[in-house]
Amino acid sequence: MGISLLETTQSGFQWVADRVWKVEHAFERANAAGVKASSTRMRIFCILVGMSFAYVCLAGFATRASLQGRGDIQALTGEPNARAQLVDRNGQLLASDVNDYNIFVDPKDMTGEDRAMVRRALFQIFPDLPRDKVDQAFKTGNRVLLTSNLKTAKRDEILNYGLPGISFEAHRVRDYPLANTGSAYIGMTQRGGEGLSGAEKALQDEIVGNAIHNQPVMLAMDLRVQGALENEVRAMAEAQRAQGAIGIVTNVRTGEVLGMASWPDFDLNRPGSFSEQAKRNHAAVDRYEVASVFKVISIAIGLDTGTASLSSVYDGRQPLKLGSRLIHDDHESKELMTLTDVFIHSSNIGTSRLALDVGATAMTRYYEALGLFRSADIELSEPASPLLPSRWSDSSLVSSAFGQGMAITPLSYVEAANATLNGGYLRPLTIRKYDGKSPLAGTQVFSTATSRTMLELMRENALKGTGTRANAPGLRVGGKTGTGQKPVNGRYTSDRVSSFFAVFPTDGPVDGDRYSILVTFNSPQGAPESSGVKTGAYVAAPVAGHVIERIAPFLGVARKEDKFTGPEWDKAPIAAEDVTGDEH
C-alpha cells in the first residue's frame, strides 16, 4: 500500500515541530555565547511565520489530495503500478484506480457481550455470509479475513455500525464505472495492474506515465456514440440469436474510432465470470469473408484505374464461366447493366467482369496499398492478420472482388474502405483523440474524383438499391449491404455473415468530417424484426440506420431536406441482394 494521507500529514507536522525546535535552540545558543540576537518579540514572530507557512503548504496538499480522490493520492505519493484515469473524448470517466477493502474480525478486541452483537450485525450486513465461516472466526480467537473486495460505500456502511473488533485493509484495484459498456474497446488489466487488452494494454506506457503527473488519458471514444451503437447492435443480435455481432463507428477524415461494439460483451469489473468468447474483441480478432460490402473497394479500384466509369456496361444476363466454375447473380438480369446498376443491385457477375478488366497485378497492388495484406493499423494489440489466397488466379481474383476467398477483420475492412470516402487517403485507425492540429498521417491511394464518385454511388444505393432500410431522412446516408455464406472445411454452409457499411453525410467537402459505420452479424437466425430474412439488407442495414439517427446530433450533423422522400418512396421495394458463396 502507498503512504496514507494521515501518515503523510502527521509526518509533515513532525517536520515542522523539528524545525521550530532547532530555531528556538539556535536563539538560546546565540544568547549563551553572548552574541547579540533579536528581541523576544522578533523570535516569536519568526517562529509563527515559519509555522504558518508550513501549515498552509501541508493543508493545501491534504485538501488537494482529499478533493481529487484516492487514485490521485497514489500518483502524488508514487505508489507502484498506479494507472491514470481513462476518459472519453468529452472527459467522461471510463476507468480509474480505486480502493477495495478486505474486512477482518478480531474477537480479542471484543467483550463477550460485544461478540453476540457483532455476530448479529454481520449477518444483517452480509446475509449471504456462510455461518460456519463466522463461527470459525469467533472460535479461533484470532484475527480472521471475513470477506474481500468491498467497495468504499459498503465499508462506510459497516463503519457506521461502530462495531468493535472489525478492521479493514485497503488494496488498489482498477474500477470500470460503466461495467459492460465499451468492454472490448477499453480492455482490462492484470491483477498486478498491467494492461491486458484493449486500450488498457495498447496505451500502457502512457497510462502509467500520466499517473505520475495526475493527468487522464483521453480516448477517441465518444461515450454517447458507444452507448447508442451497443444498444442497437445488442438488440438485433439477441433478436436474431446470432453467434456474435460487431459495430464500428469512425471519423473517415481522422481515423478516430468513436465507437466499437463487440457482442457478446462482458463486465470489466468481473471478467472471471464470463467466457473467453465474450471477452474476445470480435472487431479486431475475427476474420470474415466480408461479402458484398467489399464491392465498395473493388468498384473504387475500377474507377481509379480508369478501367471503368459509371457509364461502363456489363453483361449479367448469363452466368460468368471461369473454367469449370460459374459465377451467377441470385436475381436474373434481363438487360445489360451500367456500373451504377452493378453497385446498387450488388451484381457478382458485373463486379467479377470489372475485376478481370482491371487484372490481378493492378488489383492486388491496390489491395496491398490499402493494407489488406497485413493486420489493421491501429494501436490495439489484438488485430489478426488476413487469410489470403495462395495464388492470385482469375478465380481467386474475382472471388476477392465480391468479398469471398479472402478473410479479413472488420477493423481491416473499415481502414481500407474509409479511403474510398475521405478524398482517397488510407489513414491509420486510432483510439486516441485527435488534437485537431497535428498533420494527419496517411497515403493517398485513390483520387479525389474517385472518392466523390463513391460517395455518390453509396448515396444512390441507400435511396434505391439494397441499402434503403438504412436511409435516415435528412442525414444523406449512403451504404452497401453484404451477405456471405460461411465456409467450413472448404465448403460453404447455410450460415450467413450479414453486414452493412454506411457513411454519412455523403455531401459536403470530400475531405471534410464524415462518419462510417460497419455493422456485422455472425450467423443470424432470422427474426420478426427482419421479417425472418437473414440478409444484410434486412438484418444489418436497419441497425446502421438507427445508429445514425441517434448519433447524428452528437456529431453535429444537421438534417437537410431529402429528395426522393415521402409516402411513395417509403413503400419502394428493396433491390435484390446477392449472397456470395453460392456457386453452380
Side-chain angles (χ1 to χ4, degrees):
M1 282 298 299
I3 302 168
S4 70
L5 178 59
L6 179 60
E7 290 168 339
T8 303
T9 308
Q10 286 173 340
S11 62
F13 281 115
Q14 183 61 50
W15 181 87
V16 173
D18 290 344
R19 294 304 179 274
V20 171
W21 183 86
K22 288 182 179 180
V23 171
E24 180 63 24
H25 280 264
F27 282 119
E28 291 176 1
R29 289 194 300 272
N31 289 335
V35 179
K36 187 176 180 180
S38 303
S39 67
T40 300
R41 184 177 299 171
M42 182 58 69
R43 291 165 61 192
I44 295 172
F45 175 76
C46 291
I47 292 170
L48 289 175
V49 168
M51 288 183 66
S52 298
F53 177 75
Y55 180 81
V56 168
C57 291
L58 287 168
F61 171 79
T63 302
R64 178 186 176 194
S66 176
L67 288 173
Q68 292 179 330
R70 175 66 191 173
D72 294 346
I73 295 171
Q74 291 166 343
L76 291 167
T77 58
E79 182 165 343
N81 301 323
R83 298 177 71 81
Q85 292 181 343
L86 287 180
V87 297
D88 86 332
R89 64 188 303 108
N90 301 308
Q92 296 297 309
L93 183 64
L94 303 173
S96 66
D97 283 359
V98 300
N99 273 345
D100 273 4
Y101 296 88
N102 295 335
I103 178 172
F104 293 83
V105 59
D106 191 348
K108 292 195 299 292
D109 292 339
M110 308 176 199
T111 66
E113 189 175 312
D114 287 339
R115 293 188 180 196
M117 180 270 292
V118 170
R119 284 170 58 87
R120 288 195 302 272
L122 287 175
F123 287 125
Q124 181 179 342
I125 297 168
F126 302 108
D128 297 328
L129 199 65
R131 286 186 173 271
D132 57 349
K133 190 169 187 177
V134 178
D135 292 341
Q136 184 66 23
F138 281 93
K139 192 176 294 183
T140 62
N142 297 320
R143 185 172 184 260
V144 175
L145 174 65
L146 199 60
T147 188
S148 304
N149 301 320
L150 290 179
K151 298 301 180 186
T152 301
K154 192 68 175 178
R155 182 207 62 166
D156 292 345
E157 177 188 339
I158 298 168
L159 284 174
N160 288 335
Y161 280 82
L163 301 176
I166 299 297
S167 59
F168 303 87
E169 285 186 3
H171 57 96
R172 182 175 48 79
V173 296
R174 197 65 164 163
D175 181 66
Y176 303 93
L178 300 175
N180 295 51
T181 301
S183 55
Y185 193 143
I186 297 167
M188 54 186 177
T189 60
Q190 300 177 19
R191 286 187 177 275
E194 194 159 324
L196 189 62
S197 63
E200 290 277 31
K201 181 176 183 179
L203 308 182
Q204 166 73 14
D205 291 344
E206 189 175 340
I207 292 169
V208 172
N210 280 25
I212 297 170
H213 305 290
N214 192 33
Q215 292 294 321
V217 173
M218 184 168 283
L219 302 184
M221 177 195 292
D222 186 319
L223 194 52
R224 301 166 300 179
V225 172
Q226 181 72 29
L229 180 66
E230 288 187 358
N231 289 165
E232 297 295 340
V233 168
R234 182 187 300 112
M236 184 61 83
E238 290 176 348
Q240 292 286 337
R241 292 162 290 136
Q243 287 183 12
I246 295 152
I248 303 171
V249 178
T250 68
N251 182 323
V252 302
R253 182 178 71 86
T254 65
E256 292 169 290
V257 180
L258 305 180
M260 179 167 54
S262 176
W263 184 90
D265 54 25
F266 67 101
D267 185 343
L268 285 164
N269 296 306
R270 301 184 300 109
S273 302
F274 293 82
S275 68
E276 291 303 313
Q277 177 74 358
K279 290 182 283 189
R280 181 185 181 97
N281 184 350
H282 297 285
V285 177
D286 291 358
R287 293 172 290 203
Y288 299 104
E289 295 185 0
V290 297
S292 291
V293 294
F294 199 86
K295 291 169 184 170
V296 173
I297 295 170
S298 305
I299 288 179
I301 293 172
L303 290 167
D304 206 64
T305 56
T307 305
S309 67
L310 294 183
S311 59
S312 295
V313 175
Y314 298 91
D315 190 351
R317 293 172 294 183
Q318 297 294 329
L320 174 63
K321 185 174 176 62
L322 288 175
S324 60
R325 179 185 180 191
L326 288 178
I327 299 192
H328 70 98
D329 292 339
D330 275 1
H331 60 283
E332 183 181 352
S333 175
K334 296 181 179 179
E335 299 178 354
L336 298 176
M337 296 179 290
T338 65
L339 187 62
T340 300
D341 295 329
V342 168
F343 190 76
I344 68 174
H345 292 290
S346 198
S347 169
N348 291 342
I349 297 173
T351 305
S352 298
R353 292 189 184 280
L354 177 146
L356 292 171
D357 290 345
V358 173
T361 300
M363 203 80 169
T364 55
R365 188 172 66 246
Y366 273 89
Y367 288 174
E368 186 168 18
L370 291 168
L372 293 170
F373 292 168
R374 55 160 173 78
S375 59
D377 190 356
I378 189 171
E379 297 92 345
L380 298 173
S381 63
E382 292 94 333
S385 299
L387 299 175
L388 303 171
S390 57
R391 69 184 187 91
W392 289 100
S393 63
D394 283 351
S395 181
S396 60
L397 175 67
V398 299
S399 291
S400 71
F402 56 76
Q404 187 185 33
M406 182 169 72
I408 60 177
T409 66
L411 283 174
S412 286
Y413 173 78
V414 170
E415 181 190 356
N418 279 357
T420 69
L421 308 172
N422 65 4
Y425 287 88
L426 180 74
R427 299 204 192 281
L429 299 178
T430 181
I431 60 172
R432 288 186 172 95
K433 182 181 179 182
Y434 175 53
D435 63 13
K437 300 176 293 185
S438 302
L440 289 165
T443 304
Q444 187 154 20
V445 178
F446 298 109
S447 70
T448 302
T450 296
S451 190
R452 171 51 65 196
T453 301
M454 289 309 302
L455 286 166
E456 292 170 356
L457 271 178
M458 296 275 274
R459 178 63 178 146
E460 190 87 351
N461 192 45
L463 288 173
K464 54 185 180 182
T466 58
T468 55
R469 284 179 177 265
N471 191 33
L475 295 175
R476 293 90 70 209
V477 176
K480 182 72 190 77
T481 52
T483 307
Q485 289 180 285
K486 291 172 63 176
V488 176
N489 298 324
R491 299 184 63 84
Y492 286 96
T493 68
S494 59
D495 273 356
R496 301 284 197 259
V497 175
S498 301
S499 301
F500 192 80
F501 181 62
V503 60
F504 79 106
T506 52
D507 61 350
V510 73
D511 58 352
D513 282 327
R514 60 176 48 86
Y515 306 93
S516 71
I517 299 97
L518 175 67
V519 178
T520 297
F521 294 90
N522 183 1
S523 299
Q525 301 302 304
E529 288 82 353
S530 62
S531 303
V533 182
K534 305 176 187 179
T535 64
Y538 284 83
V539 176
V543 173
H546 295 159
V547 171
I548 290 168
E549 288 269 13
R550 292 179 63 174
I551 70 176
F554 307 144
L555 302 177
V557 179
R559 294 183 189 270
K560 293 181 181 178
E561 185 177 354
D562 258 332
K563 61 179 180 177
F564 306 125
T565 58
E568 291 78 12
W569 177 249
D570 292 340
K571 297 174 184 175
I574 296 175
E577 177 187 358
D578 275 319
V579 178
T580 62
D582 287 329
E583 297 176 15
H584 302 290

